[in-house]
Amino acid sequence: MTGCGREECNRARPQHARLPRTALENAATAERSFNPTTTPARRARHRSVTAWPRYHVGLPIGTYMETVSVVVPVMNEQETVAALTERITEAFASPDIAATLNEIIFVDDGSNDATWDRIVSVSQKTSVVSGIRFRRNFGKAAALQAGVQRASGEIIITMDGDLQDDPKEIPRFLAAIRSGLDVVSGWKKVRHDPLGKTVFSRLFNFVTARVSGVYIHDFNCGFKAYRREVFQTVSLYGELHRFIPALADAVGYKVGELTVEHHPR
């Protein structure tokens, strides 16, 4: 993206609906280019699939198949897009997961490598993949908001795109949601990050838990699961994506956590 004028920069907001016009136009172009529901025939087929209750053949009779959207903000992750897509689809191939993968939404937050080309390439091979592209970096909250607004699943899973989050944990997140939770936050109990980053994160988590009264261990973890209605109440902007568990708890949603495996980058 070329330099923006004062008016455009002043109007920039992290929410997808309020992004500068150039970013919106580019995202809209990307959506038209390869979103699998853009042609009339595919839109009709997509509606027919999602409009009726889904049940899984092989599970007990009456087992409802929840729909899931996976939102992945990425920046300069050209080497991981294809591998992450494969791992997510493998996680949903389990016969007892009792959920349907509606979509994987990659949000390219201003990458300056070939990340966007990889997203386009993968989308042409895997029908559940679509993408949104920002012309410059707007931050993780803006990327998450854009992805959540696109998402159509009853459950929304967010995860990082660097392969440190392991999609094999997704069935555990879904089980926690089914147990009655509205927000499930991952806890990287064993972390593979530099010492400086982990010390700051622990301090942040301690202070946030004490102030908010929500005693989870890892507010910073990007690997989370939500019932979609949470985002009808909680908005993402600035750095508030870090505080979603606290914000959701404040308005009455049930919040929990589970330990997740954290891979070295």
Side-chain angles (χ1 to χ4, degrees):
M1 176 179 177
T2 58
C4 60
R6 180 179 301 174
E7 180 182 353
E8 180 180 334
C9 288
N10 288 340
R11 287 171 41 235
R13 295 290 187 277
Q15 293 99 327
H16 179 56
R18 300 179 183 176
L19 289 174
R21 182 173 177 80
T22 50
L24 279 174
E25 290 174 341
N26 204 50
T29 301
E31 182 176 351
R32 287 195 301 270
S33 66
F34 66 94
N35 186 343
T37 62
T38 52
T39 66
R42 289 180 177 178
R43 281 198 298 268
R45 185 166 67 249
H46 183 74
R47 285 195 298 268
S48 68
V49 170
T50 58
W52 297 92
R54 291 154 294 280
Y55 299 89
H56 193 288
V57 176
L59 289 174
I61 295 174
T63 301
Y64 178 68
M65 295 287 287
E66 295 153 313
T67 58
V68 181
S69 298
V70 180
V71 176
V72 188
V74 288
M75 182 178 178
N76 296 336
E77 299 289 0
Q78 63 181 15
E79 303 299 332
T80 65
V81 170
L84 182 57
T85 299
E86 182 177 354
R87 295 180 190 184
I88 293 172
T89 54
E90 286 177 355
F92 280 87
S94 171
D96 57 353
I97 194 170
T100 299
L101 177 60
N102 259 24
E103 60 214 341
I104 305 170
I105 303 170
F106 287 99
V107 185
D108 183 358
D109 189 18
S111 296
N112 53 28
D113 65 357
T115 295
W116 182 248
D117 294 334
R118 297 291 191 276
I119 295 171
V120 173
S121 176
V122 170
S123 74
Q124 293 169 346
K125 302 172 185 176
T126 309
S127 62
V128 294
V129 173
S130 65
I132 300 170
R133 186 185 195 187
F134 294 167
R135 292 197 178 195
R136 67 171 176 85
N137 178 251
F138 285 98
K140 192 170 185 178
L144 286 171
Q145 182 75 350
V148 166
Q149 288 182 343
R150 166 82 70 81
S152 60
E154 297 162 292
I155 298 172
I156 298 174
I157 292 175
T158 63
M159 61 190 306
D160 293 337
D162 56 7
L163 300 183
Q164 288 192 284
D165 296 336
D166 196 328
K168 74 180 183 182
E169 305 282 7
I170 289 176
R172 297 178 60 227
F173 276 97
L174 297 179
I177 290 288
R178 294 185 190 114
S179 74
L181 296 175
D182 302 303
V183 179
V184 183
S185 182
W187 173 21
K188 297 173 286 189
K189 190 173 183 178
V190 178
R191 296 190 60 165
H192 298 280
D193 286 322
L195 180 61
K197 185 175 180 180
T198 58
V199 170
F200 173 79
S201 181
R202 287 174 182 173
L203 176 61
F204 171 83
N205 288 319
F206 174 79
V207 172
T208 304
R210 290 295 297 271
V211 171
S212 68
V214 180
Y215 290 94
I216 63 176
H217 294 83
D218 198 352
F219 286 87
N220 274 321
C221 182
F223 205 176
K224 292 181 172 71
Y226 311 86
R227 295 191 185 276
R228 101 173 266 106
E229 54 264 29
V230 171
F231 292 106
Q232 296 172 359
T233 307
V234 178
S235 298
L236 293 170
Y237 57 90
E239 293 297 311
L240 284 185
H241 64 279
R242 305 178 189 274
F243 300 99
I244 294 177
L247 296 172
D249 177 81
V251 293
Y253 290 110
K254 295 181 180 179
V255 178
E257 69 176 359
L258 56 83
T259 57
V260 295
E261 187 173 359
H262 188 238
H263 295 288
R265 183 170 172 83

